[in-house]
Amino acid sequence: MTPEPRPTLDAIAAHCGLSVTTVSRALRGRGEMAAETRARVLAAARDLGYRRDGERRGRPRTGTSRLIDLVLGRFHDPYSEQVTAGAQIAAAELGYDLVLTTERDAPRDDWPMRIRSRGSAGVVIGVITPTTSQVTVLADAGIPIVLLGPRGDASLPLWNVGTTDHAGGTDAAAHLIDRGARRFVVIAGEPTFRFGRARVQGFEAEAERRMPGAVVVREHADWTSGQARRATARALTEIPGDGPIGLFACSDEMAAGAYRAIAEAGLSIGRDVLVVGFDDVRGARWLQPPLTTIRQPLREMAATAVGLLADAAEGRSVERPSLELPTTLVPRASTGA
């Protein structure tokens, strides 16, 4: 029997309606082009059965590169510092190097192709939801992904490592009630990511369970201290009744903004308004007064994600896990503790 002709670059170019040069650059991971174009070429090559014999595609033929990529939207904030530290320590202990990759909100950002071209052992993606085409680029090269603190419910079967956000919100409400709060303010994050919703739901459910009918004023801020300051100022003017106010902010950064609004209202933190944050980033203990917060084990979460990738790269059996590491209440002076 005469073997079927092997697909060529010309065939892929005709299939996609692109030039041979563009197709070649897309397959090599070279040059700037729209991520959608690159993904379309890769999909066509896969569907047509195209192979580049003798040329490296994705992972090196001699084995997986001992690199793990950490992909974040930014690297200069307290959250990123904790995640990077945890991932770097774990990678070093396991004999891997950590590569920091910035995800840019731009159509030409081709970070999956850069990761594919260096043949990384795996990718940790923090607080970013990858697109289907980005996941496809990595999956075609056999590079596994772990989502760290995913923003929403994953539409793709990816590993993810998070924390017990709902339980953290529950603990925040219980602590404020135990410290004497009788009316409550919640500063929720906007957009309402999955982890933010869980924190608010846990808090409000526990407040209703412990103090049915208690006043709870919810305001939204964009996860920054500036908007949280304005949201807190609105809430303090709106909240009815008397007695200590318990304020729960869905992040420590937003709690810092709430501090300013409380001071500007002439109220005392730890007496008039009891404040609980979420994360326990390094700056929380240096606020005045030090911030009571729900510790999210960011370093441990990042280390766990790196460990999953190392296990997969070295052939150890890993199921498709969805892991939650426990939160911990850290009481400090902002609740009179």
Side-chain angles (χ1 to χ4, degrees), residues 22-34:
T22 299
V23 168
S24 178
R25 283 171 39 232
L27 293 173
R28 291 172 177 270
R30 304 285 177 83
E32 292 189 357
M33 68 179 62

Side-chain angles (χ1 to χ4, degrees), residues 10 63 69 102 108 251 256 272 278 285 296:
D10 295 287
D69 274 80
T102 303
R108 291 184 176 275
S251 75
D272 303 317
F278 202 110
R285 70 194 69 182
Q296 180 178 195

Side-chain angles (χ1 to χ4, degrees), residues 8-250:
T8 63
L9 289 178
D10 295 287
I12 299 172
H15 183 83
C16 297
L18 300 169
S19 69
V20 172
T21 300
T22 299
V23 168
S24 178
R25 283 171 39 232
L27 293 173
R28 291 172 177 270
R30 304 285 177 83
E32 292 189 357
M33 68 179 62
E36 293 80 7
T37 300
R38 204 183 297 274
R40 184 153 55 97
V41 171
L42 292 172
R46 182 182 64 248
D47 294 343
L48 295 173
Y50 179 79
R51 292 290 183 272
R52 303 179 68 95
D53 291 340
E55 183 173 328
R56 170 177 163 177
R57 296 180 67 249
R59 295 184 177 190
R61 289 184 176 274
T62 55
T64 300
S65 173
R66 298 194 73 82
L67 299 175
I68 289 176
D69 274 80
L70 173 62
V71 180
L72 296 173
R74 57 183 181 177
F75 282 91
H76 301 293
D77 61 79
Y79 171 91
S80 301
E81 289 171 0
Q82 293 291 311
V83 168
T84 302
Q88 193 164 32
I89 291 170
E93 289 177 348
L94 293 167
Y96 288 79
D97 290 322
L98 186 72
V99 179
L100 304 184
T101 300
T102 303
E103 189 267 351
R104 297 181 297 274
D105 188 14
R108 291 184 176 275
D109 186 14
D110 63 349
W111 60 265
M113 287 302 302
R114 299 197 303 273
I115 292 172
R116 175 188 172 118
S117 67
R118 57 181 168 257
S120 293
V123 185
V124 179
I125 303 178
V127 199
I128 295 169
T129 304
T131 65
T132 300
S133 62
Q134 290 171 336
V135 171
T136 299
V137 167
L138 298 173
D140 283 351
I143 300 176
I145 300 170
V146 178
L147 301 182
L148 193 65
R151 289 181 173 184
D153 296 318
S155 58
L156 298 166
L158 302 175
W159 300 339
N160 66 83
V161 177
T163 192
T164 52
D165 294 291
H166 191 281
T170 299
D171 290 344
H175 178 72
L176 288 170
I177 293 169
D178 291 344
R179 299 303 301 174
R182 293 298 175 262
R183 49 198 180 126
F184 305 94
V185 170
V186 175
I187 307 300
E190 183 69 44
T192 54
F193 301 130
R194 181 180 71 170
F195 49 81
R197 292 195 301 271
R199 295 168 193 179
V200 172
Q201 290 165 0
F203 183 93
E204 293 182 346
E206 182 67 4
E208 177 63 23
R209 187 185 74 82
R210 292 277 300 271
M211 297 183 63
V215 172
V216 180
V217 175
R218 188 200 300 179
E219 291 283 350
H220 292 83
D222 66 350
W223 298 96
T224 66
S225 61
Q227 280 212 10
R229 173 188 177 187
R230 292 187 284 273
T232 301
R234 290 193 302 269
L236 293 177
T237 62
E238 296 169 1
I239 191 167
D242 299 309
I245 298 170
L247 185 146
F248 174 53
C250 280

Side-chain angles (χ1 to χ4, degrees), residues 175 291-293 329-333 335 337:
H175 178 72
L291 176 65
T292 295
T293 189
L329 174 73
V330 182
R332 299 191 181 106
T335 54

